[in-house]
Amino acid sequence: MPPVSLVPRPPRPPATAAAVISPEQLEVAARAYYAYCEGDWDTLDPKAKALYRTRMQLALTAFVDHAWRPIATAPLNGTAVFLFLRIKGRGDYLWLDRWDSQLRSWVEAPHAKPTHWTPLMPPPLV
C-alpha cells in the first residue's frame, strides 16, 4: 500500500443544498413554515408561495453548507466523526470513523476515500 500523505489538500466544495434537499422536501418545508405563520397554503398567491420557497431554500442551504464539511478539514487527532463517500453506481455511504495517525488512515475503512465529514452531535440528555 502506498504511503498516505498528510499534506492538506485544497478544500473541495461541500455538498450543495440542491444535491441534498429534494424539491419535495423544499415544498414540505415551505408549507410548514407558512402553516407556522397560521396561513392557508392552498389559498396563498403563487408569488407569495415562491417567496416562502426561497426563504426555505436559503435556510436549508445555510444548514447543509455547515452540516457536511470538506474532508480536507477533518480532524486528524483521533476524534470520532461521520464520514460520507459516494461510489458511482453503488450509492452513498455514511460511517462512523476516526483517523489513526500511526496507520495514516481511517480506522474502520482504511482504504476509503471519503469526500466529506461532519462532527457527531452531542449525546441525548438522559
mmCIF file of all heavy atoms in Angstrom, residues 61-94:
data_model
loop_
_atom_site.group_PDB
_atom_site.id
_atom_site.type_symbol
_atom_site.label_atom_id
_atom_site.label_comp_id
_atom_site.label_asym_id
_atom_site.label_seq_id
_atom_site.Cartn_x
_atom_site.Cartn_y
_atom_site.Cartn_z
ATOM 1 N N THR A 61 -30.141 25.752 2.734
ATOM 2 C CA THR A 61 -28.804 25.831 2.142
ATOM 3 C C THR A 61 -27.777 26.176 3.209
ATOM 4 O O THR A 61 -26.706 25.572 3.276
ATOM 5 C CB THR A 61 -28.773 26.856 1.002
ATOM 6 O OG1 THR A 61 -29.659 26.422 -0.032
ATOM 7 C CG2 THR A 61 -27.369 27.026 0.434
ATOM 8 N N ALA A 62 -28.105 27.147 4.063
ATOM 9 C CA ALA A 62 -27.190 27.508 5.149
ATOM 10 C C ALA A 62 -26.938 26.310 6.056
ATOM 11 O O ALA A 62 -25.812 26.061 6.487
ATOM 12 C CB ALA A 62 -27.761 28.677 5.943
ATOM 13 N N PHE A 63 -27.988 25.545 6.326
ATOM 14 C CA PHE A 63 -27.845 24.351 7.166
ATOM 15 C C PHE A 63 -26.939 23.322 6.491
ATOM 16 O O PHE A 63 -25.986 22.822 7.100
ATOM 17 C CB PHE A 63 -29.220 23.744 7.450
ATOM 18 C CG PHE A 63 -29.135 22.413 8.133
ATOM 19 C CD1 PHE A 63 -28.847 22.324 9.487
ATOM 20 C CD2 PHE A 63 -29.317 21.246 7.416
ATOM 21 C CE1 PHE A 63 -28.746 21.098 10.110
ATOM 22 C CE2 PHE A 63 -29.218 20.014 8.031
ATOM 23 C CZ PHE A 63 -28.927 19.942 9.383
ATOM 24 N N VAL A 64 -27.214 23.008 5.244
ATOM 25 C CA VAL A 64 -26.437 21.991 4.525
ATOM 26 C C VAL A 64 -24.978 22.417 4.386
ATOM 27 O O VAL A 64 -24.068 21.609 4.560
ATOM 28 C CB VAL A 64 -27.059 21.706 3.142
ATOM 29 C CG1 VAL A 64 -26.122 20.877 2.277
ATOM 30 C CG2 VAL A 64 -28.393 21.005 3.311
ATOM 31 N N ASP A 65 -24.760 23.694 4.109
ATOM 32 C CA ASP A 65 -23.386 24.178 3.945
ATOM 33 C C ASP A 65 -22.550 23.983 5.197
ATOM 34 O O ASP A 65 -21.334 23.905 5.135
ATOM 35 C CB ASP A 65 -23.375 25.647 3.545
ATOM 36 C CG ASP A 65 -23.804 25.854 2.102
ATOM 37 O OD1 ASP A 65 -23.913 24.856 1.356
ATOM 38 O OD2 ASP A 65 -24.038 27.014 1.720
ATOM 39 N N HIS A 66 -23.199 23.918 6.337
ATOM 40 C CA HIS A 66 -22.461 23.755 7.574
ATOM 41 C C HIS A 66 -22.572 22.344 8.144
ATOM 42 O O HIS A 66 -21.872 22.003 9.095
ATOM 43 C CB HIS A 66 -22.922 24.797 8.596
ATOM 44 C CG HIS A 66 -22.518 26.165 8.195
ATOM 45 N ND1 HIS A 66 -23.319 26.977 7.427
ATOM 46 C CD2 HIS A 66 -21.385 26.852 8.405
ATOM 47 C CE1 HIS A 66 -22.693 28.108 7.199
ATOM 48 N NE2 HIS A 66 -21.523 28.059 7.780
ATOM 49 N N ALA A 67 -23.428 21.535 7.595
ATOM 50 C CA ALA A 67 -23.591 20.179 8.107
ATOM 51 C C ALA A 67 -22.433 19.286 7.652
ATOM 52 O O ALA A 67 -21.825 18.600 8.455
ATOM 53 C CB ALA A 67 -24.927 19.592 7.673
ATOM 54 N N TRP A 68 -22.149 19.265 6.364
ATOM 55 C CA TRP A 68 -21.070 18.451 5.823
ATOM 56 C C TRP A 68 -19.918 19.350 5.414
ATOM 57 O O TRP A 68 -20.114 20.363 4.765
ATOM 58 C CB TRP A 68 -21.562 17.636 4.623
ATOM 59 C CG TRP A 68 -22.485 16.548 5.058
ATOM 60 C CD1 TRP A 68 -23.843 16.562 4.991
ATOM 61 C CD2 TRP A 68 -22.125 15.307 5.646
ATOM 62 N NE1 TRP A 68 -24.355 15.391 5.506
ATOM 63 C CE2 TRP A 68 -23.323 14.605 5.917
ATOM 64 C CE3 TRP A 68 -20.915 14.714 5.983
ATOM 65 C CZ2 TRP A 68 -23.322 13.337 6.497
ATOM 66 C CZ3 TRP A 68 -20.929 13.453 6.564
ATOM 67 C CH2 TRP A 68 -22.122 12.782 6.805
ATOM 68 N N ARG A 69 -18.721 18.951 5.791
ATOM 69 C CA ARG A 69 -17.531 19.758 5.545
ATOM 70 C C ARG A 69 -16.570 18.994 4.642
ATOM 71 O O ARG A 69 -16.546 17.765 4.656
ATOM 72 C CB ARG A 69 -16.862 20.071 6.874
ATOM 73 C CG ARG A 69 -17.814 20.806 7.792
ATOM 74 C CD ARG A 69 -17.386 20.762 9.217
ATOM 75 N NE ARG A 69 -18.475 21.281 10.051
ATOM 76 C CZ ARG A 69 -18.318 21.595 11.295
ATOM 77 N NH1 ARG A 69 -17.157 21.445 11.875
ATOM 78 N NH2 ARG A 69 -19.340 22.060 11.986
ATOM 79 N N PRO A 70 -15.755 19.702 3.884
ATOM 80 C CA PRO A 70 -14.777 19.019 3.031
ATOM 81 C C PRO A 70 -13.852 18.138 3.859
ATOM 82 O O PRO A 70 -13.444 18.496 4.964
ATOM 83 C CB PRO A 70 -14.000 20.167 2.381
ATOM 84 C CG PRO A 70 -14.875 21.362 2.522
ATOM 85 C CD PRO A 70 -15.681 21.157 3.767
ATOM 86 N N ILE A 71 -13.509 16.979 3.322
ATOM 87 C CA ILE A 71 -12.687 16.013 4.049
ATOM 88 C C ILE A 71 -11.324 16.590 4.415
ATOM 89 O O ILE A 71 -10.734 16.203 5.426
ATOM 90 C CB ILE A 71 -12.554 14.679 3.264
ATOM 91 C CG1 ILE A 71 -12.049 13.563 4.183
ATOM 92 C CG2 ILE A 71 -11.670 14.864 2.042
ATOM 93 C CD1 ILE A 71 -12.979 13.216 5.305
ATOM 94 N N ALA A 72 -10.839 17.544 3.636
ATOM 95 C CA ALA A 72 -9.539 18.157 3.937
ATOM 96 C C ALA A 72 -9.542 18.861 5.285
ATOM 97 O O ALA A 72 -8.477 19.103 5.851
ATOM 98 C CB ALA A 72 -9.152 19.144 2.836
ATOM 99 N N THR A 73 -10.733 19.167 5.813
ATOM 100 C CA THR A 73 -10.812 19.855 7.108
ATOM 101 C C THR A 73 -11.110 18.902 8.261
ATOM 102 O O THR A 73 -11.286 19.347 9.395
ATOM 103 C CB THR A 73 -11.889 20.961 7.069
ATOM 104 O OG1 THR A 73 -13.183 20.344 6.894
ATOM 105 C CG2 THR A 73 -11.632 21.955 5.948
ATOM 106 N N ALA A 74 -11.154 17.605 7.991
ATOM 107 C CA ALA A 74 -11.476 16.625 9.041
ATOM 108 C C ALA A 74 -10.379 16.587 10.098
ATOM 109 O O ALA A 74 -9.193 16.711 9.773
ATOM 110 C CB ALA A 74 -11.664 15.236 8.431
ATOM 111 N N PRO A 75 -10.756 16.404 11.360
ATOM 112 C CA PRO A 75 -9.735 16.321 12.412
ATOM 113 C C PRO A 75 -8.909 15.038 12.266
ATOM 114 O O PRO A 75 -9.453 13.977 11.997
ATOM 115 C CB PRO A 75 -10.553 16.310 13.705
ATOM 116 C CG PRO A 75 -11.909 15.838 13.311
ATOM 117 C CD PRO A 75 -12.109 16.251 11.891
ATOM 118 N N LEU A 76 -7.609 15.169 12.416
ATOM 119 C CA LEU A 76 -6.702 14.030 12.304
ATOM 120 C C LEU A 76 -6.119 13.681 13.666
ATOM 121 O O LEU A 76 -5.010 13.165 13.764
ATOM 122 C CB LEU A 76 -5.589 14.334 11.293
ATOM 123 C CG LEU A 76 -6.044 14.694 9.883
ATOM 124 C CD1 LEU A 76 -4.845 14.989 8.995
ATOM 125 C CD2 LEU A 76 -6.913 13.599 9.294
ATOM 126 N N ASN A 77 -6.893 13.962 14.737
ATOM 127 C CA ASN A 77 -6.404 13.745 16.099
ATOM 128 C C ASN A 77 -7.098 12.580 16.798
ATOM 129 O O ASN A 77 -7.015 12.447 18.012
ATOM 130 C CB ASN A 77 -6.579 15.019 16.920
ATOM 131 C CG ASN A 77 -8.038 15.427 17.039
ATOM 132 O OD1 ASN A 77 -8.932 14.732 16.569
ATOM 133 N ND2 ASN A 77 -8.275 16.567 17.664
ATOM 134 N N GLY A 78 -7.796 11.735 16.050
ATOM 135 C CA GLY A 78 -8.471 10.595 16.639
ATOM 136 C C GLY A 78 -9.908 10.860 17.054
ATOM 137 O O GLY A 78 -10.574 9.983 17.585
ATOM 138 N N THR A 79 -10.407 12.053 16.791
ATOM 139 C CA THR A 79 -11.789 12.394 17.112
ATOM 140 C C THR A 79 -12.738 11.611 16.216
ATOM 141 O O THR A 79 -12.541 11.553 14.999
ATOM 142 C CB THR A 79 -12.029 13.908 16.899
ATOM 143 O OG1 THR A 79 -11.140 14.630 17.736
ATOM 144 C CG2 THR A 79 -13.463 14.293 17.193
ATOM 145 N N ALA A 80 -13.757 11.005 16.800
ATOM 146 C CA ALA A 80 -14.747 10.263 16.011
ATOM 147 C C ALA A 80 -15.631 11.250 15.244
ATOM 148 O O ALA A 80 -16.068 12.262 15.793
ATOM 149 C CB ALA A 80 -15.605 9.399 16.919
ATOM 150 N N VAL A 81 -15.868 10.945 13.965
ATOM 151 C CA VAL A 81 -16.706 11.772 13.092
ATOM 152 C C VAL A 81 -17.514 10.853 12.178
ATOM 153 O O VAL A 81 -17.212 9.668 12.040
ATOM 154 C CB VAL A 81 -15.851 12.740 12.232
ATOM 155 C CG1 VAL A 81 -15.095 13.733 13.091
ATOM 156 C CG2 VAL A 81 -14.898 11.979 11.320
ATOM 157 N N PHE A 82 -18.539 11.419 11.552
ATOM 158 C CA PHE A 82 -19.240 10.702 10.490
ATOM 159 C C PHE A 82 -18.577 11.064 9.174
ATOM 160 O O PHE A 82 -18.259 12.236 8.927
ATOM 161 C CB PHE A 82 -20.723 11.095 10.421
ATOM 162 C CG PHE A 82 -21.576 10.381 11.411
ATOM 163 C CD1 PHE A 82 -22.240 11.085 12.396
ATOM 164 C CD2 PHE A 82 -21.731 9.000 11.356
ATOM 165 C CE1 PHE A 82 -23.033 10.432 13.313
ATOM 166 C CE2 PHE A 82 -22.523 8.336 12.271
ATOM 167 C CZ PHE A 82 -23.186 9.051 13.254
ATOM 168 N N LEU A 83 -18.390 10.063 8.321
ATOM 169 C CA LEU A 83 -17.786 10.271 7.004
ATOM 170 C C LEU A 83 -18.805 9.970 5.915
ATOM 171 O O LEU A 83 -19.693 9.145 6.100
ATOM 172 C CB LEU A 83 -16.569 9.360 6.840
ATOM 173 C CG LEU A 83 -15.426 9.600 7.814
ATOM 174 C CD1 LEU A 83 -14.348 8.542 7.619
ATOM 175 C CD2 LEU A 83 -14.854 10.988 7.659
ATOM 176 N N PHE A 84 -18.625 10.638 4.763
ATOM 177 C CA PHE A 84 -19.500 10.440 3.611
ATOM 178 C C PHE A 84 -18.652 10.059 2.410
ATOM 179 O O PHE A 84 -17.592 10.635 2.177
ATOM 180 C CB PHE A 84 -20.264 11.729 3.289
ATOM 181 C CG PHE A 84 -21.037 11.649 1.998
ATOM 182 C CD1 PHE A 84 -22.290 11.064 1.978
ATOM 183 C CD2 PHE A 84 -20.505 12.139 0.818
ATOM 184 C CE1 PHE A 84 -23.004 10.968 0.794
ATOM 185 C CE2 PHE A 84 -21.213 12.049 -0.369
ATOM 186 C CZ PHE A 84 -22.467 11.465 -0.379
ATOM 187 N N LEU A 85 -19.158 9.082 1.660
ATOM 188 C CA LEU A 85 -18.488 8.639 0.444
ATOM 189 C C LEU A 85 -19.548 8.243 -0.565
ATOM 190 O O LEU A 85 -20.508 7.538 -0.217
ATOM 191 C CB LEU A 85 -17.595 7.431 0.757
ATOM 192 C CG LEU A 85 -17.003 6.658 -0.421
ATOM 193 C CD1 LEU A 85 -16.022 7.521 -1.183
ATOM 194 C CD2 LEU A 85 -16.332 5.402 0.083
ATOM 195 N N ARG A 86 -19.419 8.702 -1.790
ATOM 196 C CA ARG A 86 -20.318 8.300 -2.877
ATOM 197 C C ARG A 86 -19.511 7.474 -3.867
ATOM 198 O O ARG A 86 -18.475 7.907 -4.355
ATOM 199 C CB ARG A 86 -20.902 9.531 -3.568
ATOM 200 C CG ARG A 86 -21.747 9.171 -4.792
ATOM 201 C CD ARG A 86 -22.492 10.361 -5.342
ATOM 202 N NE ARG A 86 -23.537 10.695 -4.376
ATOM 203 C CZ ARG A 86 -23.957 11.932 -4.128
ATOM 204 N NH1 ARG A 86 -23.430 12.942 -4.758
ATOM 205 N NH2 ARG A 86 -24.903 12.151 -3.234
ATOM 206 N N ILE A 87 -20.009 6.273 -4.148
ATOM 207 C CA ILE A 87 -19.364 5.413 -5.134
ATOM 208 C C ILE A 87 -20.305 5.326 -6.333
ATOM 209 O O ILE A 87 -21.445 4.852 -6.199
ATOM 210 C CB ILE A 87 -19.079 4.005 -4.566
ATOM 211 C CG1 ILE A 87 -18.138 4.112 -3.367
ATOM 212 C CG2 ILE A 87 -18.502 3.101 -5.649
ATOM 213 C CD1 ILE A 87 -17.877 2.790 -2.671
ATOM 214 N N LYS A 88 -19.823 5.772 -7.466
ATOM 215 C CA LYS A 88 -20.646 5.782 -8.675
ATOM 216 C C LYS A 88 -21.157 4.379 -8.968
ATOM 217 O O LYS A 88 -20.393 3.417 -8.991
ATOM 218 C CB LYS A 88 -19.842 6.320 -9.852
ATOM 219 C CG LYS A 88 -20.658 6.538 -11.093
ATOM 220 C CD LYS A 88 -19.845 7.185 -12.188
ATOM 221 C CE LYS A 88 -20.716 7.409 -13.390
ATOM 222 N NZ LYS A 88 -20.020 8.109 -14.452
ATOM 223 N N GLY A 89 -22.460 4.284 -9.167
ATOM 224 C CA GLY A 89 -23.086 3.010 -9.467
ATOM 225 C C GLY A 89 -23.383 2.150 -8.249
ATOM 226 O O GLY A 89 -24.017 1.115 -8.371
ATOM 227 N N ARG A 90 -22.902 2.557 -7.076
ATOM 228 C CA ARG A 90 -23.137 1.763 -5.861
ATOM 229 C C ARG A 90 -23.887 2.523 -4.785
ATOM 230 O O ARG A 90 -24.489 1.926 -3.914
ATOM 231 C CB ARG A 90 -21.808 1.250 -5.301
ATOM 232 C CG ARG A 90 -21.188 0.215 -6.232
ATOM 233 C CD ARG A 90 -19.943 -0.383 -5.694
ATOM 234 N NE ARG A 90 -20.149 -1.018 -4.392
ATOM 235 C CZ ARG A 90 -19.172 -1.359 -3.602
ATOM 236 N NH1 ARG A 90 -17.924 -1.153 -3.946
ATOM 237 N NH2 ARG A 90 -19.412 -1.928 -2.445
ATOM 238 N N GLY A 91 -23.804 3.848 -4.795
ATOM 239 C CA GLY A 91 -24.574 4.624 -3.837
ATOM 240 C C GLY A 91 -23.747 5.411 -2.847
ATOM 241 O O GLY A 91 -22.535 5.541 -2.974
ATOM 242 N N ASP A 92 -24.447 5.934 -1.852
ATOM 243 C CA ASP A 92 -23.846 6.759 -0.811
ATOM 244 C C ASP A 92 -23.583 5.922 0.433
ATOM 245 O O ASP A 92 -24.383 5.060 0.788
ATOM 246 C CB ASP A 92 -24.783 7.918 -0.439
ATOM 247 C CG ASP A 92 -25.014 8.863 -1.603
ATOM 248 O OD1 ASP A 92 -24.224 8.831 -2.569
ATOM 249 O OD2 ASP A 92 -25.974 9.636 -1.537
ATOM 250 N N TYR A 93 -22.493 6.231 1.096
ATOM 251 C CA TYR A 93 -22.116 5.517 2.308
ATOM 252 C C TYR A 93 -21.816 6.519 3.411
ATOM 253 O O TYR A 93 -21.148 7.529 3.185
ATOM 254 C CB TYR A 93 -20.872 4.646 2.059
ATOM 255 C CG TYR A 93 -21.138 3.535 1.099
ATOM 256 C CD1 TYR A 93 -21.059 3.733 -0.273
ATOM 257 C CD2 TYR A 93 -21.496 2.276 1.563
ATOM 258 C CE1 TYR A 93 -21.332 2.709 -1.158
ATOM 259 C CE2 TYR A 93 -21.757 1.241 0.679
ATOM 260 C CZ TYR A 93 -21.676 1.469 -0.678
ATOM 261 O OH TYR A 93 -21.940 0.456 -1.545
ATOM 262 N N LEU A 94 -22.314 6.238 4.598
ATOM 263 C CA LEU A 94 -22.024 7.011 5.795
ATOM 264 C C LEU A 94 -21.474 6.051 6.833
ATOM 265 O O LEU A 94 -21.980 4.940 6.973
ATOM 266 C CB LEU A 94 -23.292 7.664 6.353
ATOM 267 C CG LEU A 94 -24.045 8.603 5.441
ATOM 268 C CD1 LEU A 94 -25.356 9.013 6.091
ATOM 269 C CD2 LEU A 94 -23.215 9.835 5.140
#
